[in-house]
Amino acid sequence: MNLKHLVSAADLNRADAIELLDTTAEMASVSEREVKKLPTLRGKTVVNLFYEDSTRTRVSFEVAEKRLSADVVNVSAKGSSVSKGESLKDTVQTLAAISADIVVMRHGSSGAAHTLANSDWFDGSVINAGDGTHEHPTQALLDAYTLRSRLFGTASGKGLDGVNVAIVGDIAHSRVARSNLILLKNLGARVHLIAPPTLLPKALGQQAVSSFHNFDHAIEENDFDAVMMLRVQSERMHAAFFPSEAEYSKLWGLNRERLERMKPGTLVMHPGPMNRGLEIDSFCADSPNSTVLDQVRNGVSARMAVLYHLVGNERNA
Ligand code: CP
């Protein structure tokens, strides 16, 4: 695999994606050992540069880096000179001056990771940990791994051919939806999009097998293997996209009654953080069908796999 940066799910062809899923499985077995360590990143400095808040992504990257023996530095906008107005260029050049090898960046601006990876400010690798409403490629990898392991067990060398996945909710503001649409299709899955008209961009709808504004019609017409519920991203909504939270929950939320109309065993996914009672109720979030905590657990292994291949590529070069 020839990977220097991971900015978009489109940076991975099908073979790369399957190889990363297979490596994720190997990393998951490392995480089950008593000593959960590999020497892969010994002597490497990884900086987690977070301009936006995060729990799952930040913590799982840090755990992944430490399990691979990296020296880890965490920089967040609050508590760094970013809060004094320092630019991305100056911040990253500062990190380059202290010999950082890899920058894992979350940023509020779509395209920020692409700008950094294509700049001459920093020679090392860049991993996009979420940029605005654009992409979140490691989330898509951990989601694909979660699907593959729940549906097909430990099978390696396998994609997600023919698997029916519904992505439901605030698609317009979702970097998770964009990266998943690319990666799931690349792995052979059939992706269906379900959202209010105001939250389903036409261009994305055209890339799916089908798109619906009515969740109940979508359930009647399909046998979903998994429903991926998206967080309603109120912080990115500067206008009214739906009449009220009560109406959103009634029309587009996943509840017990809707889940029971799906085929038995339909997986319930959510990238987190969840708005319980809005896009998903607690019955579904906590049901045996739910993969929410598996997704978090697999996030560590998927991120170890990405770091492993980035460094392997650098060593080969
Ligand atoms: N799924 C996800 O990106 O969650 P965090 O914002 O907590 O990292």
Side-chain angles (χ1 to χ4, degrees):
M1 183 184 317
N2 186 16
L3 197 64
K4 176 167 184 191
H5 308 291
L6 182 59
V7 169
S8 163
D11 294 339
L12 305 170
N13 62 30
R14 179 182 162 97
D16 294 339
I18 290 176
E19 194 177 347
L20 275 167
L21 299 187
D22 292 348
T23 309
T24 300
E26 287 169 29
M27 296 300 166
S29 69
V30 170
S31 297
E32 281 166 15
R33 292 184 199 159
E34 199 179 323
V35 179
K36 303 174 178 59
K37 280 268 190 202
L38 288 178
T40 314
L41 294 184
R42 191 181 288 156
K44 299 280 179 192
T45 302
V46 183
V47 179
N48 299 314
L49 177 59
F50 276 63
Y51 284 80
E52 271 191 349
D53 293 342
S54 165
T55 300
R56 279 145 285 270
T57 311
R58 190 177 55 76
V59 170
S60 62
F61 262 114
E62 185 174 345
V63 171
E65 292 149 7
K66 288 180 171 167
R67 285 197 184 158
L68 294 175
S69 308
D71 296 319
V72 179
V73 179
N74 292 309
V75 180
S76 58
K78 288 168 216 152
S80 71
S81 289
V82 171
S83 66
K84 299 175 196 162
E86 188 166 35
S87 67
L88 176 60
K89 176 180 172 179
D90 288 335
T91 302
V92 171
Q93 285 185 327
T94 301
L95 302 178
I98 57 148
S99 304
D101 297 291
I102 299 173
V103 170
V104 175
M105 185 170 75
R106 170 166 289 192
H107 202 285
S109 299
S110 301
H114 176 86
T115 300
L116 175 54
N118 290 284
S119 73
D120 59 4
W121 312 333
F122 176 64
D123 281 343
S125 292
V126 176
I127 303 178
N128 182 4
D131 61 326
T133 59
H134 180 224
E135 282 218 41
H136 195 353
T138 58
Q139 177 73 42
L141 277 167
L142 73 90
D143 289 339
Y145 177 76
T146 302
L147 273 167
R148 195 179 81 166
S149 56
R150 286 286 282 249
L151 295 172
F152 305 125
T154 52
S156 66
K158 211 172 155 49
L160 293 168
D161 298 291
V163 172
N164 273 296
V165 183
I167 303 181
V168 187
D170 183 1
I171 291 163
H173 299 104
S174 179
R175 52 198 179 205
V176 174
R178 281 175 181 75
S179 287
N180 263 296
L181 186 57
I182 295 167
L183 189 73
L184 290 173
K185 282 178 62 180
N186 212 345
L187 289 167
R190 294 166 52 80
V191 181
H192 309 262
L193 300 181
I194 303 164
T198 48
L199 291 174
L200 179 43
K202 221 175 185 168
L204 289 184
Q206 286 164 353
Q207 293 169 41
V209 168
S210 68
S211 56
F212 291 87
H213 299 312
N214 186 307
F215 198 177
D216 295 314
H217 290 171
I219 294 169
E220 275 160 34
E221 291 177 26
N222 293 283
D223 263 345
F224 296 128
D225 297 294
V227 277
M228 184 182 293
M229 304 307 298
L230 299 174
R231 183 171 71 85
V232 174
Q233 300 195 35
S234 310
E235 77 278 15
R236 298 193 205 275
M237 294 184 188
H238 305 296
F241 285 83
F242 46 86
S244 68
E245 290 195 349
E247 180 151 331
Y248 184 93
S249 163
K250 189 168 157 226
L251 295 177
W252 294 287
L254 185 63
N255 52 35
R256 179 177 189 158
E257 191 269 324
R258 283 202 172 103
L259 182 59
E260 287 177 348
R261 275 193 277 122
M262 295 182 198
K263 70 177 180 185
T266 299
L267 300 175
V268 174
M269 308 183 77
H270 194 302
M274 292 183 279
N275 294 307
R276 285 177 185 253
L278 182 53
E279 70 265 2
I280 188 166
D281 74 0
S282 285
F283 176 86
C284 298
D286 301 329
S287 81
N289 301 38
S290 171
T291 65
V292 171
L293 293 178
D294 278 356
Q295 288 169 265
V296 177
R297 194 172 304 109
N298 293 335
V300 174
S301 309
R303 286 163 180 137
M304 286 171 79
V306 170
L307 289 159
Y308 178 91
H309 282 285
L310 286 187
V311 169
N313 181 60
E314 185 195 308
R315 294 215 163 112
N316 291 340

